[in-house]
């Protein structure tokens, strides 16, 4: 585990490419894992698809709330990345409804996660009938990445 993610294993400060490679999991031979490709495939099979009109509406709402996200093209042209996926998704909303035989689960939710609302973690733990571990903090993702929690 690297104590400071901006310092490489040789002790030198990494440039942007070095930081990207470290975060993306590049190995010594220059290969990257297929995490992004796998995530796209999983999401395309798990999530309900949006129509082009729904995607434009979402992008319009995002750009109204955060105008800096508009690269100067406006909301037109927003498309669901899975629109042309060769198979239909297999899950609907809500994902976790009616699952039988699910083992005990632990949901970890951070109070100040900027990407995943804390209330969503509480709701997931409740829906799964599992346990909730609340972590006070303001980062995204804590499992397997945080220092020792006392």
């Amino acid at each position: 585990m690297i104590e400071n993610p901006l310092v490489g294993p040789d002790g030198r400060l990494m440039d942007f490419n070095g930081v990207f490679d470290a975060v993306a999991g590049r190995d010594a031979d220059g290969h990257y894992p297929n995490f992004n490709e796998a995530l796209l495939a999983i999401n395309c099979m798990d999530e309900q698809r949006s129509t082009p009109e729904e995607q434009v509406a979402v992008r319009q709402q995002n750009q109204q709330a955060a105008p800096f996200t508009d690269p100067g093209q406006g909301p037109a042209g927003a498309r669901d990345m899975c629109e042309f996926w060769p198979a239909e998704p297999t899950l609907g909303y809500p994902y976790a409804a009616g699952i039988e035989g699910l083992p005990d689960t632990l949901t970890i939710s951070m109070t100040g996660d900027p990407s995943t609302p804390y209330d969503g973690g509480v709701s997931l733990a409740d829906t799964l009938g599992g346990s909730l571990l609340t972590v006070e903090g303001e980062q995204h993702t804590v499992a397997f990445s945080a220092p020792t929690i006392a």
Side-chain angles (χ1 to χ4, degrees), residues 116-139:
T116 309
Y118 174 74
D119 291 342
V122 174
S123 176
L124 177 63
D126 184 54
T127 300
L128 296 175
S131 300
L132 173 69
L133 172 60
T134 297
V135 178
E136 299 286 333
E138 296 182 4
Q139 71 183 47

Side-chain angles (χ1 to χ4, degrees), residues 68-85:
F68 61 87
T69 63
D70 181 358
Q73 300 173 354
R79 302 305 284 262
D80 185 330
M81 289 185 66
C82 301
E83 184 175 351
F84 299 104
W85 197 259

Side-chain angles (χ1 to χ4, degrees), residues 4 8 15 19 39 41 48 50 61 63 65-66 70 73 80 83 90 116 120 137 139 144 147 150:
N4 181 341
D15 63 8
V19 172
L39 183 61
Q48 295 173 338
S50 300
Q61 289 174 349
Q63 290 175 357
D70 181 358
Q73 300 173 354
D80 185 330
E83 184 175 351
T90 56
T116 309
Q139 71 183 47
F144 308 113

Side-chain angles (χ1 to χ4, degrees), residues 22-45:
V23 171
R26 181 178 177 188
D27 66 20
D29 294 327
H31 299 105
Y32 295 92
N34 68 341
F35 174 81
N36 289 328
E37 293 84 357
L39 183 61
L40 177 62
I42 291 165
N43 287 342
C44 287
M45 291 305 295

